Structures are given as C-alpha cells and as structure tokens.
Amino acid sequence: ADPAKPGREHWQDDAAANSCRGCGAAFTLFFRRHHCRNCGGVFCSDCSCFEVAVHRPGDADGQVHLTRACMWCFKSVVCHATTASGAPS
C-alpha cells in the first residue's frame, strides 16, 4: 500500500479484478475499474456511482468526506444510519 494515499490499504488489487464485483461485466480499456472507498472492492461505474461519508485516518474529529461507494456499501450505510436515528427502516 502507498502510504501517500491513506485509505487504500484494503483495496482489492486491480490485477486481480477482471470483472465488476457487482454485475460481472468484464473490464476493458474503455470499461474501467473503480474502487469502492468503503469496502475496497472493484466495480464498474454503474455499480459504484453512490457516495457515502467516510472518516479517514488523520482527519480531525467529526471531519468526513463524501466518497465513491458501491451500491451494497451505500445501502448498508443508509440502512444503518436510518436504524440508528430511530426512523423506520
């Protein structure tokens, strides 16, 4: 992992991802890979077009960033936030 790029330690290696973890579509020169910043999985743009708030190591307390996420992490974060707030899930 590149220490100059914190948060990428858990990312799936590009070379190990020939297809989207979500829909299974094969990656090509024009159909590109995108990492979910939450789980580190490799997805196509359609399966990773969501954003979640994350806190990175070294950030000030309470500081968060909106960052790319896969549909599964997005649903997980939204459902957890909804449940934690007491709103019906």
Side-chain angles (χ1 to χ4, degrees), residues 4-37:
K5 299 176 181 174
R8 296 184 182 195
E9 300 84 14
H10 69 285
W11 281 16
Q12 180 181 1
D13 184 18
D14 283 348
N18 295 320
S19 60
C20 173
R21 186 185 279 187
C23 67
F27 294 121
T28 68
L29 183 60
F30 301 105
F31 191 69
R32 299 186 54 211
R33 296 165 175 82
H34 299 276
H35 285 87
C36 172
R37 295 341 189 244

Side-chain angles (χ1 to χ4, degrees), residues 1-88:
D2 184 349
K5 299 176 181 174
R8 296 184 182 195
E9 300 84 14
H10 69 285
W11 281 16
Q12 180 181 1
D13 184 18
D14 283 348
N18 295 320
S19 60
C20 173
R21 186 185 279 187
C23 67
F27 294 121
T28 68
L29 183 60
F30 301 105
F31 191 69
R32 299 186 54 211
R33 296 165 175 82
H34 299 276
H35 285 87
C36 172
R37 295 341 189 244
N38 191 58
C39 70
V42 179
F43 298 88
C44 69
S45 60
D46 287 343
C47 289
S48 63
C49 64
F50 303 90
E51 290 185 326
V52 295
V54 296
H55 177 82
R56 296 182 184 140
D59 283 348
D61 286 344
Q63 182 181 8
V64 295
H65 304 270
L66 283 180
T67 190
R68 179 183 293 272
C70 67
M71 176 174 43
W72 296 269
C73 286
F74 176 77
K75 286 181 178 180
S76 174
V77 170
V78 169
C79 288
H80 177 73
T82 302
T83 303
S85 71

